Amino acid sequence: MTSSRLREPLMRLHSAFAILALLTVATAPAAAQTHTSTVGFNAGPVLYSSFNSGAPESSLDLKPDLGFVGSLQYDWYVARGVLGFRLGAHYQRLELDWTNGTREIYAYAGDFDLLLRPIRPKETTRVIPYLSLGVGLTQYRLGNGLPTSFEAASALYDGDESAEFSVLGGIGFDIVTGWGWDEGAFLIRLEAQDNYVTSSPFVPTTGGGDFSGIHNIRVTLGLHNSMGLIR
């Protein structure tokens, strides 16, 4: 039920951004795309794989409902705008079925990404594709305290909120708008990125070891402001 409540407003948000992007490309005058950096905010849905991947086949699947992610990003470019680096901070809200009912999860993540633009942007470029690859840390806010188990899912939470290592990869597009602030143009950013957290916050109730890592796929839209010019 929560998933369906989230899905409708998220779909409306993405539709509005998509229409805005199309209008922007159709009407925007040529603007300089050889900027040295951008800063902005992205938001959208996040889709998770199971938190207990590798559990016995009879176990319940600990897979959260469709969640929400909001991201702050700052990136800067070298090599005439082809190569970039990015710092990202992310907030996620999820809901997961647990032994005593639905459990609300908040996740915080930070990462450092390498950005590669296959085509060097020029002053007349309106759509800039890019690839991203990075590393980071993710922490799931499940609460510090006594261990709690979910026998039906063969999962145990040991009560320790620790940050887990993650690797990221994705693809995105920056779309130039006809508007700007100071000397920079506003960009609409569409991005899909898979954040693979290498360890689950849960462990098997029997047999020891660990569950497999967790994929969370973010599909976001955002508005960014470009700054500076590469000479």
Side-chain angles (χ1 to χ4, degrees):
M1 184 178 296
T2 302
S3 177
S4 61
R5 290 201 303 266
L6 279 171
R7 188 177 292 109
E8 184 175 350
L10 288 172
M11 290 298 293
R12 289 179 179 176
L13 175 65
H14 277 63
S15 297
F17 269 113
I19 293 171
L20 178 61
L22 290 173
L23 291 174
T24 297
V25 173
T27 61
Q33 293 303 295
T34 51
H35 46 268
T36 55
S37 61
T38 72
V39 63
F41 175 79
N42 278 36
V46 56
L47 180 65
Y48 265 80
S49 64
S50 297
F51 276 75
N52 64 337
S53 179
E57 292 184 4
S58 59
S59 304
L60 292 178
D61 189 14
L62 284 182
K63 185 174 182 179
D65 292 335
L66 186 70
F68 169 82
V69 59
S71 304
L72 289 173
Q73 299 177 344
Y74 173 75
D75 43 66
W76 67 99
Y77 299 91
V78 297
R80 301 178 69 185
V82 174
L83 180 65
F85 305 92
R86 179 168 69 190
L87 292 174
H90 314 276
Y91 163 82
Q92 296 182 10
R93 180 185 179 279
L94 312 165
E95 288 190 350
L96 180 70
D97 290 335
W98 193 246
T99 182
N100 56 352
T102 301
R103 187 164 190 167
E104 198 168 57
I105 299 175
Y106 298 96
Y108 301 92
D111 54 71
F112 177 76
D113 299 348
L114 177 69
L115 305 177
L116 177 62
R117 291 167 163 174
I119 303 173
R120 185 174 70 86
K122 301 178 181 179
E123 291 187 357
T124 55
T125 304
R126 294 185 181 181
V127 180
I128 311 171
Y130 64 88
L131 303 173
S132 64
L133 182 66
V135 296
L137 293 173
T138 299
Q139 183 181 43
Y140 296 103
R141 299 303 305 273
L142 293 161
N144 288 310
L146 296 174
T148 175
S149 62
F150 189 7
E151 294 297 337
S154 304
L156 169 71
Y157 176 60
D158 62 10
D160 181 23
E161 289 184 349
S162 59
E164 307 293 347
F165 179 74
S166 60
V167 293
L168 307 89
I171 184 171
F173 298 88
D174 284 336
I175 304 171
V176 62
T177 73
W179 313 290
W181 181 67
D182 198 7
E183 294 184 355
F186 286 124
L187 309 174
I188 293 175
R189 175 166 293 179
L190 169 63
E191 183 171 48
Q193 192 173 46
D194 182 13
N195 177 34
Y196 178 71
V197 184
T198 55
S199 180
S200 171
F202 305 109
V203 296
T205 53
T206 58
D210 296 295
F211 290 126
S212 301
I214 305 167
H215 290 274
N216 60 93
I217 300 174
R218 313 162 179 160
V219 181
T220 58
L221 278 164
L223 185 64
H224 293 246
N225 185 54
S226 63
M227 299 174 290
L229 293 175
I230 295 176
R231 304 297 181 183

